[in-house]
Amino acid sequence: MTFTRTKREWKPLEDRSCTDLPWFLLFTVFCVGMGSIFGFTIATGGAARLVFGYDSYGNTCGQRNEQIEGVRLSGLDQTDKKYVFFLDPCNIDIVQRKIKSMALCVSVCPDEELKTYQDLKRFAVHNGSELCSYELAGHKYPSLPERFDKCPKLPVPPSKSLPVFNRCTPVDISCYAKFAEAVVTFVSDNSVLHRLIAGVMASKVIIVGLCLLALVLSMILMVIIRYISAVLVWIFTATVVLGSLAGTSILWWMYIDYRLTVNKTLSKETEDAKEEAEMSRDNAQVLLVYAIAATVFTVILLLLMLFMRKRVALTIALFHVAGKVFIHLPLLTLQPFCTFLALLLFWFYWSLVLLFLGTTGNPVQNEETGLTEFRLTGPLQYMTWYHAVGLIWISEFILACQQMTVAGAVVTYYFTRDKNKLPVTPILSSSLRLMRYHLGTVAKGSFIITLVKIPRLFLMYVHNQLKGKENACARCMLKTCICCLWCLEKCLNYLNQNAYAATAINSTSFCTSARDAFVILVENALRVAAINAVGDFVLFLGKILIVTSTAFAGVLLLNYQRDYAEWVLPLIIVCLFAFLVAHCFLSMFEIVVDVLFLCFAIDTKYNDGTPGREFYMDKALMEFVENSRKLERVAERGRSRPTEVVSVEGAEMKPMAPGTSSA
């Protein structure tokens, strides 16, 4: 019995149905698990301990506590003591990034410097806030022998409580200089750091203005790039060709120069001349190898340029249509903001829960300090790993939702013949279709990326931990594995993006869409290579254009500050922000181009322009197809002409007369 696979009929925007429902349920269960971790930290007091703080005996400040077995001075009523006070706030563990000092719950933070134990006694009597350990009576501080270990280190600096987290923080943070020095290792002169910060503060209005300028330039470039794409493509082509020719010529010139040097040196019969000639001969051999390799590369490159010149025209046409897409769908420009906002909110939530987990668990006494800490033990410690996986999967899910939303809007634009009949908000319609039908597909695609990213991040962590300890072979193997996983992740990202576009067209499951998209891409492999190579370089030039324009405007605006050292940090901040903004917007442009190409490949595969099978494509793409067909017809006539010429043996080499065949 044989099974025949039915040919897929592409029906854009029709037969919409739910896809990958099991994966949607799995992702929902996973998110419920993430929420359960948050609920667990609140139920077990971890969130309260982080917000309100706790002392070194396990008591949460500002509330009544239960006795902890085996921990003395636990179970105290700290309702009136709402602030955490550290006996030695400057005793910081730089590696673990935490304060190693004993912590107590106090009712008032000391707002003045306390230099002696008499001052501690006076503060305790007048304010009712005892700054030494609970078992010590405030009126006996000066005479108790335990005061050196269980009272704060003198002098006690004035402090104030933080707005949300009720910790007594020194007003003068100069004691954290060592910690700051460890963090900012590249600054050896405090005056330099002070001048850089002063430059930023003095230029904050200019910095904000330049950041807005980068934002405006990015949005403008997305619209006008269709008019300058042809120029950028030819700049790219000329740069590559001239660069390769120049490099090859220089290598051959250096080789000839070395050969002449060798010949001149051999004419001298001294011992030093012979050694110099031998060395020059070796260098000439190396240069010869380089020159031959560069020549081969240049020839191959020129042949590829010649062979792919028509496909470069397709790239220009796609860029032209992509510019039209942003004019018809202006809300596409808001997608980077929406995605960034969603990621920012999720990362804030994730970081907050991670901090909660740091104060959740069972009370454990630190063997080094003897103080009580809360740690996750046993099976509970796997919650941190679950939470870490959630960071990767949900972040990738949010990015995949953006890709699916953009793909759906672009598909709607492409396969709508009359652009005046487009939905009022195609982006909103695409988002609603995503939430109603395709969340499972997005969850599956993002999970596949997560499966590749986790091993890569783990290997990067291992490589970082073993830095300087592993041998050369192990280091090479680790870097090779990391590189291979990175390449695999990039390939899967590209395939996923096209799979989402296929799902937006056909409403098929992830695997089916990925297979169909892969077949289309393989059938158009040369076009894909041209679009990715030329298109990526054009977009890179666009990013450079935005960064350099913003930097140039920054130099002009900062020119009135004659201390040029103050320019450095503001310009670096502005250029980094400009590159980030340009990358976000032009990456959106790249997604639109990729989706347009998939739609174009499907359109040309299943339609031919005849009645009933009309093309959906834009006029610019139609012109490209017509030009390609003209070239193909010319080539076919050129191939058929020799067949007509040699059909009669001994005949003259010219086309046959119309009646010859019947003679």
Side-chain angles (χ1 to χ4, degrees), residues 10 16 404 407 411 496-509 512-514 516-517 598 602:
W10 293 79
R16 195 62 56 178
M404 178 71 88
V411 164
N496 279 11
Q497 180 179 305
N498 285 278
Y500 298 146
T503 298
I505 297 172
N506 252 357
S507 190
T508 49
S509 65
T512 303
S513 299
D516 294 339
L598 186 69
I602 293 168

Side-chain angles (χ1 to χ4, degrees), residues 372-392:
T372 301
E373 300 175 352
F374 290 87
R375 298 177 185 171
L376 293 171
T377 57
L380 294 179
Q381 60 187 330
Y382 293 110
M383 286 197 301
T384 306
W385 292 102
Y386 187 95
H387 195 59
V389 173
L391 171 66
I392 302 173

Side-chain angles (χ1 to χ4, degrees), residues 80-370:
D80 297 329
K81 299 179 178 181
K82 299 181 179 180
Y83 304 103
V84 180
F85 175 75
F86 296 97
L87 302 190
D88 186 6
C90 295
N91 186 9
I92 300 174
D93 185 349
I94 295 177
V95 177
Q96 299 294 329
R97 296 178 294 278
K98 64 181 181 180
I99 299 175
K100 297 170 63 176
S101 166
M102 177 184 288
L104 300 172
C105 295
V106 298
S107 56
V108 179
C109 297
D111 56 357
E112 58 180 327
E113 186 178 32
L114 306 176
K115 300 180 180 179
T116 64
Y117 291 105
Q118 286 291 344
D119 293 339
L120 290 177
K121 172 185 174 181
R122 177 176 52 79
F123 184 80
V125 171
H126 286 89
N127 296 285
S129 184
E130 298 178 345
L131 303 182
C132 296
S133 187
Y134 302 134
E135 69 268 27
L136 304 183
H139 62 281
K140 297 181 179 180
Y141 284 167
S143 59
L144 292 174
E146 298 94 337
R147 66 184 184 276
F148 300 106
D149 297 327
K150 298 184 178 181
C151 285
K153 182 180 179 180
L154 297 177
V156 178
S159 59
K160 60 181 180 180
S161 62
L162 293 174
V164 178
F165 301 98
N166 301 322
R167 271 74 169 175
C168 295
T169 308
V171 176
D172 182 11
I173 59 173
S174 60
C175 67
Y176 297 134
K178 186 181 294 185
F179 180 71
E181 183 181 347
V183 175
V184 192
T185 54
F186 62 90
V187 178
S188 57
D189 185 2
N190 288 334
S191 62
V192 175
L193 178 62
H194 178 74
R195 289 171 62 193
L196 290 175
I197 295 175
V200 172
M201 297 305 296
S203 312
K204 57 182 181 293
V205 177
I206 295 177
I207 291 174
V208 173
L210 290 172
C211 291
L212 292 175
L213 174 64
L215 186 64
V216 172
L217 288 176
S218 299
M219 298 176 71
I220 293 175
L221 183 62
M222 291 175 69
V223 177
I224 69 171
I225 198 170
R226 63 174 174 147
Y227 300 110
I228 63 175
S229 58
V231 177
L232 294 178
V233 166
W234 291 120
I235 289 175
F236 162 71
T237 305
T239 303
V240 171
V241 172
L242 294 177
S244 59
L245 289 174
T248 304
S249 302
I250 289 172
L251 286 172
W252 280 112
W253 175 79
M254 292 174 66
Y255 168 71
I256 294 172
D257 184 62
Y258 261 98
R259 291 296 299 175
L260 293 175
T261 304
V262 171
N263 294 334
K264 289 180 182 178
T265 308
L266 286 175
S267 62
K268 303 176 183 178
E269 297 182 355
T270 61
E271 191 67 29
D272 293 339
K274 291 181 180 179
E275 292 181 2
E276 184 179 350
E278 188 67 28
M279 186 179 301
S280 297
R281 187 181 291 109
D282 293 339
N283 289 334
Q285 291 295 327
V286 173
L287 281 173
L288 178 61
V289 173
Y290 288 163
I292 293 174
T295 302
V296 173
F297 172 78
T298 302
V299 171
I300 294 174
L301 183 63
L302 291 176
L303 290 175
L304 284 174
M305 287 291 193
L306 184 65
F307 188 63
M308 298 177 66
R309 66 188 186 281
K310 291 188 295 183
R311 292 163 182 85
V312 172
L314 174 60
T315 305
I316 298 173
L318 286 172
F319 271 62
H320 187 82
V321 178
K324 289 184 178 180
V325 171
F326 281 97
I327 293 176
H328 284 90
L329 311 178
L331 289 181
L332 275 177
T333 57
L334 298 180
Q335 274 298 298
F337 295 107
C338 298
T339 303
F340 180 72
L341 180 61
L343 286 172
L344 203 63
L345 292 174
F346 170 67
W347 289 341
F348 175 77
Y349 163 81
W350 186 89
S351 302
L352 191 64
V353 175
L354 184 65
L355 292 174
F356 288 169
L357 284 172
T359 55
T360 301
N362 301 317
V364 178
Q365 281 196 329
N366 190 310
E367 296 180 358
E368 181 183 351
T369 61

Side-chain angles (χ1 to χ4, degrees), residues 21-43:
L21 188 58
W23 280 93
F24 170 69
L25 297 176
L26 177 63
F27 183 74
T28 303
V29 171
F30 183 85
C31 291
V32 170
M34 292 283 290
S36 300
I37 293 176
F38 176 67
F40 177 79
T41 60
I42 294 178

Side-chain angles (χ1 to χ4, degrees), residues 509-554:
S509 65
F510 177 82
C511 290
T512 303
S513 299
R515 182 190 63 208
D516 294 339
F518 181 76
V519 170
I520 295 291
L521 294 175
V522 170
E523 291 173 350
N524 297 269
L526 291 178
R527 287 175 171 177
V528 172
I531 290 170
N532 285 332
V534 180
D536 287 351
F537 186 80
V538 169
L539 294 178
F540 174 75
L541 288 180
K543 295 173 188 178
I544 297 299
L545 178 64
I546 291 172
V547 173
T548 51
S549 301
T550 308
F552 180 70

